[in-house]
Amino acid sequence: MTDIIQPLRGTRDFYPEDQAVISWLYENMRQVSESFGYQEFDGPFLEPIELYAAKSGEELVKEQAFVFEDRGRNLITLRPELTPTLARMVAQQQQHLHYPLRWWSFGPFWRYESPQKGRSREFFQWNVDLLGLDSPEADAEMAAVMAVFFQQVGLSPDQVQIMINNRRLVDAQLQKLEIPPRKQGEIFRLIDKRDKLEDAAWEAYAEEIGLTSKQLDSIKAMVEDEALWEESEELVRFFRAVEALGVGDYVQYAPHIIRGLDYYTGTVFEAQAVTADISRALLGGGRYDNLLADVGGDPLPGVGFAMGDMVLAIVLEELGLLPEGRGVTPADVLVTVFDEATLLPSYSLSAELRQAGLKVSCYPEVQKLGKQFKHAGRIGSRVATILGPDELANGMIAVKDLESRKQELVPRGEAADFIKKLLDKASSS
RNA sequence: GCGAAUGUAGCUCAAUCGGUAGAGCGCCGCACUGUGGAUGCGGUCGUUGCGGGUUCAAGUCCCGUCGUUCGCCCCA
């Protein structure tokens, strides 16, 4: 036991029941994405470091990306996010693609962070992006995709909220306060910390940045002004569109939401669990109208978001919304093996049943029937078949319903249909 | 990078003041050689994460180290 090599820090093993959760999430993400007309795509998991150096925010590349030298001495990185890859892929084919472009993706990402609740070094993200539109209605469509997904997995507006802000609105407000643009980054950080720090600590931080007390008061007022969005034409249109899309309950204006990424230019999103015992965001996203030009393409507006698997799974687990009995049925039918003489005929039977479209596993060796039935029950098979000397002689198969414990002799040729009917009854009841 | 907790059987955990490492679950077998989940009985299971120190004696106390978890920092 002690000589088992440990998995790497911050990685996860996905046992079948864990993998089933990922698959289930993936399935829901696929359904929702496709219901909005998005196409699935993916990019490389390995990328040159320069792709991120441009615009992702310094922290991301310097501190958090897995970066290493390959055998050709090139610096490469395991992708810490998808958007730069998306931007490159679009830029490469920019003339051939049809806009508006609606793409989605689900895959692994890596960030070298210290693992804790809701955060590991290897995780999955659902990415949804809409390129070629710069309207607030496009932003609203993003919010609707998120909201419909929440609906789909059973999260109500009481349990999760999508917070909205707009960086252009914040910029305009800061300009009124005559705060120099070069301080913008620090101010954003300050705003972001508003509900994380105590008042005194927050004010001390503001002073550190070099804000006058008058400026500080104005900023304080700004991040508490729940009606400020009304001054933004963009946000007014956004919220109207969100209502029209029927997801208004899930969305609210949140003046303190900023998001860390440098490339966001307009609307920013962040979803938070209201009830769950975790402060981490469920998803983050926003409008990035300059990103295509930044990676060398022609200017093209875009908006998108990413949702990680970990916080989502924690929230769903806490609320009891994960599917029951996940990943427990490898095969509906177990073909038992009675003795040496019937071993090969049993294998043939399993092949026949599979041919008929059933999920079938065959017990791999001669064993006492009791043990084989026990195994069938353990792995969750619903039906077991017995092909002993008597059945073989008469061309019959004994089919046992492991739930009702009833057993019936049926002609071998009819076994598959008989089992299918049994399973249909089982799944409909 | 900083802080806290924690590490005992395959799993979940116990072990009083420092005094012979235990239980449940699981697994295997038998009762029950053509029929599973129940029940009963029996069996399997440990260098107490690792290294050092204190002590007559260490799972227990001390130091170090590694892993894990939680928090801070940061956050796409």
Side-chain angles (χ1 to χ4, degrees):
Chain A
M1 162 59 186
T2 47
D3 52 5
I4 291 175
I5 293 169
Q6 302 283 332
L8 285 174
R9 183 170 169 78
T11 63
R12 291 172 289 166
D13 291 331
F14 293 91
Y15 289 88
E17 59 272 25
D18 309 314
Q19 184 61 34
V21 172
I22 296 292
S23 300
W24 178 77
L25 291 176
Y26 193 4
E27 218 23 69
N28 281 292
M29 288 161 181
R30 170 184 305 283
Q31 273 181 36
V32 173
S33 304
E34 289 181 351
S35 80
F36 279 83
Y38 285 65
Q39 295 175 286
E40 187 173 13
F41 81 104
D42 209 343
F45 297 175
L46 293 170
E47 290 279 17
I49 188 171
E50 298 83 39
L51 183 65
Y52 307 97
K55 268 291 170 180
S56 291
E58 297 217 337
E59 177 77 18
L60 180 52
V61 175
K62 277 191 190 155
E63 312 283 339
Q64 294 183 295
F66 277 84
V67 179
F68 50 92
E69 240 180 41
D70 68 10
R71 290 170 191 274
R73 319 210 92 192
N74 306 299
L75 272 185
I76 60 177
T77 172
L78 283 163
R79 63 181 188 182
E81 60 159 334
L82 187 65
T83 309
T85 299
L86 166 73
R88 187 200 59 222
M89 287 172 65
V90 171
Q92 278 169 189
Q93 302 266 324
Q94 203 156 356
Q95 320 302 335
H96 299 286
L97 298 168
H98 303 291
Y99 304 95
L101 190 78
R102 291 181 165 93
W103 282 6
W104 73 279
S105 182
F106 180 81
F109 296 86
W110 294 265
R111 292 176 200 164
Y112 198 84
E113 311 197 63
S114 86
Q116 48 196 271
K117 194 174 186 184
R119 200 165 70 176
S120 66
R121 292 181 173 179
E122 184 179 57
F123 55 93
F124 292 94
Q125 267 192 353
W126 177 36
N127 279 265
V128 181
D129 289 276
L130 170 52
L131 282 87
L133 292 177
D134 66 355
S135 67
E137 288 73 22
D139 298 348
E141 177 173 313
M142 274 301 114
V145 172
M146 303 169 198
V148 169
F149 174 80
F150 289 142
Q151 231 163 27
Q152 170 111 355
V153 297
L155 288 165
S156 71
D158 298 335
Q159 295 166 325
V160 58
Q161 278 288 305
I162 301 164
M163 318 292 229
I164 303 295
N165 198 358
N166 187 295
R167 284 200 173 174
R168 275 188 276 265
L169 173 62
V170 177
D171 284 347
Q173 294 301 113
L174 293 182
Q175 230 161 32
K176 280 190 202 164
L177 301 177
E178 295 179 344
I179 287 168
R182 69 184 160 78
K183 283 210 174 150
Q184 193 199 54
E186 285 170 310
I187 302 289
F188 278 4
R189 192 156 298 174
L190 176 75
I191 294 173
D192 199 46
K193 283 182 192 295
R194 183 65 183 114
D195 58 358
K196 288 170 194 158
L197 294 179
E198 298 294 320
D199 274 6
W202 190 71
E203 281 162 22
Y205 186 76
E207 206 169 326
E208 212 174 290
I209 295 174
L211 290 182
T212 66
S213 61
K214 198 178 149 198
Q215 287 172 324
L216 176 60
D217 286 345
S218 309
I219 290 179
K220 212 192 274 184
M222 179 177 77
V223 298
E224 278 158 16
D225 185 354
E226 303 285 334
L228 188 61
W229 62 276
E230 289 165 12
E231 292 181 26
S232 162
E233 165 76 16
E234 266 185 85
L235 283 178
V236 170
R237 279 173 60 188
F238 171 85
F239 280 111
R240 260 188 226 142
V242 160
E243 287 296 335
L245 287 163
V247 294
D249 289 351
Y250 279 98
V251 183
Q252 62 171 281
Y253 173 62
H256 62 279
I257 296 294
I258 288 291
R259 304 304 300 165
L261 244 62
D262 290 349
Y263 54 60
Y264 290 137
T265 54
T267 302
V268 287
F269 310 96
E270 178 172 317
Q272 287 169 5
V274 179
T275 47
D277 184 27
I278 186 161
S279 57
R280 228 165 274 287
L282 277 157
L283 64 82
R287 170 158 291 284
Y288 47 88
D289 287 344
N290 302 329
L291 191 58
L292 256 287
D294 288 336
V295 300
D298 294 330
L300 185 71
V303 59
F305 73 90
M307 179 188 293
D309 70 298
M310 295 196 67
V311 176
L312 178 64
I314 289 170
V315 171
L316 290 170
E317 173 83 62
E318 281 181 13
L319 295 171
L321 293 173
L322 287 178
E324 294 286 320
R326 46 200 197 242
V328 293
T329 307
D332 294 322
V333 184
L334 180 80
V335 171
T336 63
V337 173
F338 191 81
D339 58 16
E340 288 298 340
T342 56
L343 173 68
L344 290 179
S346 295
Y347 267 62
S348 300
L349 172 63
S350 72
E352 286 162 26
L353 297 179
R354 255 177 234 124
Q355 202 70 45
L358 291 163
K359 295 179 191 164
V360 182
S361 64
C362 190
Y363 204 85
E365 58 182 6
V366 178
Q367 253 298 353
K368 292 193 339 188
L369 278 181
K371 197 172 170 187
Q372 299 190 46
F373 277 104
K374 195 170 179 176
H375 177 70
R378 286 278 159 73
I379 65 175
S381 293
R382 173 66 197 246
V383 171
T385 65
I386 302 116
L387 179 54
D390 300 346
E391 288 85 0
L392 193 60
N394 301 325
M396 305 293 274
I397 303 293
V399 176
K400 179 162 182 174
D401 181 337
L402 290 168
E403 203 151 299
S404 67
R405 296 172 169 247
K406 280 182 195 149
Q407 184 170 324
E408 232 173 293
L409 267 180
V410 298
R412 182 159 179 166
E414 296 168 20
D417 284 339
F418 182 81
I419 292 170
K420 279 185 195 166
K421 274 184 203 144
L422 255 182
L423 291 173
D424 281 350
K425 230 191 311 173
S427 60
S428 63
S429 64

